[in-house]
Amino acid sequence: MSCPRIEVDLGKIRRNTQTIVGRLGPRGIGVTGVTKAVCGHPAIAQAMLDGGALGLADARTSNVQRLRKAGLTCPVTLIRTPMLSQADQVVQSCEESYNTEILLISALAAAAIRIGTVHGIVLMVEMGDQRDGILPENLAGIAQQVMKMSGVALKGIGANFACLSGLAPTVLQMAAFCDLADEIEGVCGPFLKIVSGGNSANLPWALGEHATGRVNDLRLGEAILLGVEPVSGDRIDGMHTDAFTLVAEVIETGAKPAPSPIALVDPTLARLRIAPASGVSKRHILAIGHQDTDILGLSMPAGSTFIGATSDHLVIGTNRSMLKLGSEVRFQMNYNALMHAMAAPDIKVKLLDNQPTKQTRRTQGMIDHLALV
């Protein structure tokens, strides 16, 4: 079987989605499945939809186009502020997009008018993450400008937490965000369809004992795909954390002598040397490296020790392994490792499933065609 590869258990992704949808639903919050970490893989997206996600979201138009080419007709939102150069692509492939710049919204409006459609606008608000977002004091003015434009429609507001700052939202921050929804409606008139409170880092808040206010949507990727809460890294109760497995092949095995002391012309090169692993009797070299994934985001198998890695090699050590040339070693990944591995051209994707996907008539057949990439 081809290596390196990622084995994807679609059943576990579906069940993770069902679990979180079931918990958030009674609190009035729907789930939008975020597919950016898996590069818009259609079968994984379909598993989210089958699990109860109301729609999909991605940060890149290339991923959205991949979903559309596979036949998925569900609502798809672009959650990274669009590039000015991609305005036409955005309105052609996405029902809605998250925005912070009025000039860009004008370009989207013009593009929508050219093809005879109306594009939904969700205004992203800066609530403390210090990444993308309109300052709260400027939000009402920009919302009023959007309301006056033809070709676009103000659909809602969104916020983001814990991406750049690493800080989970507080109850006070979320209450202030909900107040902004009321303020915009008071100024602009129409009811906001979308009040998107954030991402997987918002789950502790969303599932807490306090009221969730106006928030009716969360954009969830990491929680569904890996079953963990991003800020703490803790497993979410009842969720699968092993839906994705990275498999690499051993290309060399055997003991290595301790390195002899050498004189380095450049002392800074010392930090690049691999230190001997204390107590390790065997080293194994695997055909995977920094070019393929975030090596530090891999969980070493039981009984194995990380020794070092280069662009194309991963060196691990073990005392009791029966690994030999051609053996496969399996790793769990964190979110960064998953993102890099799914985007790596030399890593294949193998889909595992214990339940047929409930595809719509328009998507049936296309998912199977794109199962292996």
Side-chain angles (χ1 to χ4, degrees):
M1 195 172 295
S2 178
C3 279
R5 68 179 183 274
I6 298 174
E7 295 180 352
V8 185
D9 191 322
L10 296 176
K12 291 180 178 178
I13 295 172
R14 187 183 304 112
R15 290 192 292 276
N16 277 357
T17 310
Q18 290 170 338
T19 297
I20 207 66
V21 166
R23 292 176 184 174
L24 291 173
R27 300 184 67 79
I29 300 175
V31 171
T32 298
V34 178
T35 58
K36 63 181 183 178
V38 295
C39 301
H41 196 291
I44 298 172
Q46 186 66 54
M48 291 179 172
L49 295 172
D50 291 342
L54 299 178
L56 301 173
D58 209 292
R60 299 171 186 261
T61 56
S62 57
N63 292 343
V64 177
Q65 290 169 350
R66 183 184 185 189
L67 294 169
R68 295 309 191 198
K69 287 179 182 177
L72 274 75
T73 58
C74 67
V76 180
T77 302
L78 189 71
I79 53 174
R80 182 174 70 180
T81 302
M83 288 184 273
L84 195 60
S85 59
Q86 293 185 329
D88 289 281
Q89 295 178 39
V90 173
V91 298
Q92 289 169 6
S93 59
C94 301
E95 282 77 9
E96 296 154 350
S97 60
Y98 282 65
N99 286 271
T100 62
E101 295 283 346
I102 196 66
L103 178 62
L104 180 50
I105 297 172
S106 298
L108 294 170
I113 290 171
R114 283 194 292 272
I115 65 172
T117 190
V118 176
H119 184 70
I121 300 295
V122 180
L123 296 176
M124 180 64 80
V125 190
E126 168 55 54
M127 296 299 299
D129 192 52
Q130 297 292 306
R131 198 183 68 177
D132 52 331
I134 301 165
L135 295 177
E137 58 266 31
N138 298 333
L139 182 62
I142 292 178
Q144 287 177 307
Q145 293 181 63
V146 175
M147 291 292 298
K148 296 175 182 178
M149 292 183 187
S150 300
V152 292
L154 180 62
K155 294 295 185 179
I157 61 174
N160 200 60
F161 297 92
C163 281
L164 189 62
S165 69
L167 300 176
T170 66
V171 173
L172 289 178
Q173 283 176 310
M174 296 308 298
F177 175 67
C178 292
D179 288 342
L180 287 173
D182 294 334
E183 178 186 337
I184 295 305
E185 288 177 349
V187 171
C188 298
F191 178 78
L192 294 181
K193 174 187 172 185
I194 301 167
V195 182
S196 186
N199 51 37
S200 296
N202 288 66
L203 283 174
W205 166 83
L207 298 173
E209 297 181 356
H210 46 266
T212 53
R214 290 293 307 276
V215 172
N216 60 12
D217 172 76
L218 287 181
R219 312 176 302 276
L220 303 182
E222 186 168 357
I224 290 174
L225 299 172
L226 297 180
V228 298
E229 190 274 302
V231 176
S232 67
D234 293 338
R235 173 179 176 268
I236 301 170
D237 186 44
M239 303 278 275
H240 296 283
T241 60
D242 57 350
F244 294 84
T245 302
L246 179 63
V247 185
E249 184 173 328
V250 175
I251 58 173
E252 182 183 311
T253 185
K256 293 282 185 179
S260 302
I262 58 175
L264 296 173
V265 176
D266 183 354
T268 62
L269 295 177
R271 63 185 176 85
L272 300 178
R273 296 172 60 195
I274 297 178
S278 176
V280 171
S281 60
K282 253 189 178 180
R283 293 186 181 212
H284 308 282
I285 301 178
L286 282 62
I288 197 167
H290 292 301
Q291 189 168 326
D292 304 291
T293 188
D294 178 3
I295 294 296
L296 297 182
L298 302 181
S299 297
M300 292 294 113
S304 298
T305 303
F306 172 74
I307 295 176
T310 61
S311 57
D312 305 295
H313 301 80
L314 170 61
V315 183
I316 64 173
T318 180
N319 280 319
R320 58 180 185 274
S321 173
M322 298 301 291
L323 294 177
K324 58 185 180 181
L325 193 68
S327 292
E328 295 183 347
V329 182
R330 306 168 71 83
F331 302 90
Q332 298 302 307
M333 297 174 281
N334 69 9
Y335 195 65
N336 282 340
L338 174 64
M339 283 193 298
H340 294 164
M342 287 296 296
D346 294 324
I347 297 183
K348 306 302 180 184
V349 175
K350 178 183 179 181
L351 301 177
L352 310 175
D353 203 351
N354 58 5
Q355 175 182 326
T357 300
K358 298 177 182 177
Q359 300 168 11
T360 62
R361 183 175 300 175
R362 294 185 65 178
T363 63
Q364 201 164 14
M366 298 299 294
I367 302 297
D368 292 337
H369 176 68
L370 292 171
L372 295 178
V373 296

